[in-house]
Amino acid sequence: NRTTPVEVRSDLRSVGQERLNHRQLQVLSRLQSLEFINVREYQSLFNVSEITASRDLSNLFKNGMVHRVGKGRATHYRIG
């Protein structure tokens, strides 16, 4: 039973003590239809630096919202 992107945004605005930013909300919505995303794709999609992309994705991983697969440059993130 999948949630729609609108439901995802409203349900996931805050996780514990942390609030998700607009990029994180959008990538969670996109990951409903994408297989995975990596840091370079995130950078390109949101026009952010490598460190910002990495921090945003790591934050989603630490909060249990995405799974991290691979190591180093081969790391990608997926819903699962």
Side-chain angles (χ1 to χ4, degrees):
N1 194 3
R2 293 189 135 179
T3 58
T4 64
V6 173
E7 290 176 279
V8 169
R9 286 191 189 112
S10 63
D11 291 346
L12 300 177
R13 267 188 213 279
S14 60
V15 177
Q17 299 287 333
E18 298 195 39
R19 289 185 57 82
L20 299 180
N21 62 45
H22 68 281
R23 296 180 305 272
Q24 290 169 316
L25 292 170
Q26 284 182 9
V27 82
L28 286 173
S29 179
R30 286 177 185 250
L31 281 171
Q32 299 295 319
S33 60
L34 293 176
E35 191 173 335
F36 62 87
I37 193 164
N38 61 32
V39 170
R40 287 191 186 263
E41 292 166 342
Y42 193 97
Q43 279 182 265
S44 177
L45 187 63
F46 297 109
N47 196 28
V48 294
S49 68
E50 181 178 357
I51 192 68
T52 296
S54 183
R55 285 178 183 156
D56 281 0
L57 290 168
S58 288
N59 179 275
L60 291 174
F61 170 71
K62 288 176 185 173
N63 285 303
M65 304 177 99
V66 296
H67 291 281
R68 185 184 302 172
V69 180
K71 291 189 177 190
R73 286 182 163 179
T75 303
H76 59 273
Y77 299 82
R78 64 178 174 83
I79 297 278

